[in-house]
Amino acid sequence: MFKGLLIEKINEEYSVRLTELDDAQLLNGDVTVRVSHSTINYKDALAITGKGSIVRSFPMVPGIDFAGVVEQSNHPDFVPGDNVILNGWGVGESHWGGLAQKARVKGDWLIPLPANISSRDAMALGTAGYTAMLCILAILRHGVRPEDGEIAVTGATGGVGSVAISALSQLGYKVAAITGKSTGTDYLLNLGANEVLDRSSLGPNKPLLKERWVGVIDVLGGNTLANLCASTKYQGIVTACGLAESMELPATVAPFILRGITLVGIDSVRCPKEHRLEAWAKLSEYIDSSKLQAIITEIKVEDAPHYSKLLMDGVFKGRIVVNMDA
């Protein structure tokens, strides 16, 4: 038996509870992992609070990320004792996820834990950090250099934003942290932001605005993304990886055909394995461990519903690590 968080929906009543689970209840897969750490991303908070249609089948163990040690394996790439990470692939949505002490998954969904990252730090990064690095890699591939200008990062106090600012700072880029939280300035400057802008200061949305950003990492969508596209410099790049504000994009083609900007969609759920390996290798290289520790709040799995609510209410900064053995 092992403990886990279980979401159920019976007669339209949605419930979340900590319970004891059995190996026989685990879903199909060729690798069984003893989970040591997980995390709570925005998508997890939506699932746990029931505020989003994230869970596709019931009952469900939430948690789109986990790190742990292989217990059993019928997959050629993994043997018992291997340290592994999982991000995405529908776990916590259609397949039992990481907020339990065991998970059984397809080995193709796993990647090895980088040697210089602990399971705890890997989950401090989680899908948020891995997504941030996918955005940064797209910016690097576009040829943007630190001397070319500012990178704008929205949702700056959240998981993606926090990791993106820290990594970009380590790489020598000037970062403008964009946030709707008036209390986040010191936190963002300590991460490495060069300036902090209130989201409301971006001004009205117009087809074209004064050129400012050479690159953008956006988690919001909506008017904010349209505004940032309109103010991106000639041949700059905008990476879009979230829709916390809106899934709408009230923009025109003007920035694309008059300034030649590039809008790149970033998908972390089904991202090919070679890109995942590259992103995690770069995270292990670029992330300042001391800055990472400063943004971690470590909790027990039974505290996940409380912290999910804080995340949904927009009053939490940084990264939540769930210690599954606590």
Side-chain angles (χ1 to χ4, degrees), residues 52 64 70 108 120 128 131 138 168 200 207 219 231 233:
I64 66 171
V70 172
D108 289 343
R120 179 178 183 272
T131 301
L168 286 166
S200 63
V219 303
S231 52
K233 288 184 176 182

Side-chain angles (χ1 to χ4, degrees), residues 116-318:
N116 56 340
I117 296 183
S118 67
S119 293
R120 179 178 183 272
D121 285 1
M123 288 300 98
L125 294 165
T127 283
Y130 147 65
T131 301
M133 186 52 66
L134 290 175
C135 293
I136 292 171
L137 289 171
I139 290 171
L140 294 175
R141 283 193 290 269
H142 197 70
V144 175
R145 302 164 299 176
E147 59 268 28
D148 292 334
E150 285 182 296
I151 306 290
V153 178
T154 68
T157 62
V160 172
S162 296
V163 175
I165 290 166
S166 180
L168 286 166
S169 174
Q170 286 293 109
L171 287 166
Y173 288 90
K174 293 180 180 178
V175 181
I178 298 172
T179 179
K181 297 177 183 176
S182 59
T183 60
T185 299
D186 289 343
Y187 169 82
L188 294 168
L189 292 175
N190 288 335
L191 281 178
N194 297 89
E195 61 178 325
V196 179
L197 302 176
D198 191 297
R199 194 167 74 196
S200 63
S201 71
L202 295 179
N205 185 17
K206 296 180 180 179
L208 283 176
L209 294 165
K210 182 179 179 181
E211 295 179 63
R212 178 162 186 182
W213 324 110
V214 70
V216 173
I217 295 176
D218 179 65
V219 303
L220 299 176
N223 283 312
T224 300
L225 176 56
N227 185 296
L228 292 168
C229 287
S231 52
T232 294
K233 288 184 176 182
Y234 184 75
Q235 292 195 336
I237 179 172
V238 177
T239 60
C241 63
L243 43 75
E245 178 183 309
S246 173
M247 68 186 300
E248 301 296 326
L249 182 57
T252 74
V253 298
F256 305 99
I257 62 175
L258 297 179
R259 291 182 181 164
I261 77 162
T262 298
L263 177 61
V264 178
I266 302 296
D267 166 54
S268 62
V269 177
R270 295 184 297 169
C271 182
K273 190 169 186 176
E274 60 268 26
H275 294 166
R276 293 170 182 265
L277 291 169
E278 181 185 13
W280 277 101
K282 295 300 183 184
L283 283 168
S284 69
E285 180 181 351
Y286 295 149
I287 291 298
D288 183 328
S289 181
S290 63
K291 288 183 179 179
L292 185 62
Q293 304 315 309
I295 68 172
I296 294 173
T297 298
E298 185 171 319
I299 68 171
K300 299 178 181 179
V301 66
E302 52 262 43
D303 297 324
H306 171 69
Y307 280 88
S308 294
K309 185 178 184 304
L310 294 180
L311 199 58
M312 291 302 302
D313 290 343
V315 297
F316 186 86
K317 298 191 292 288

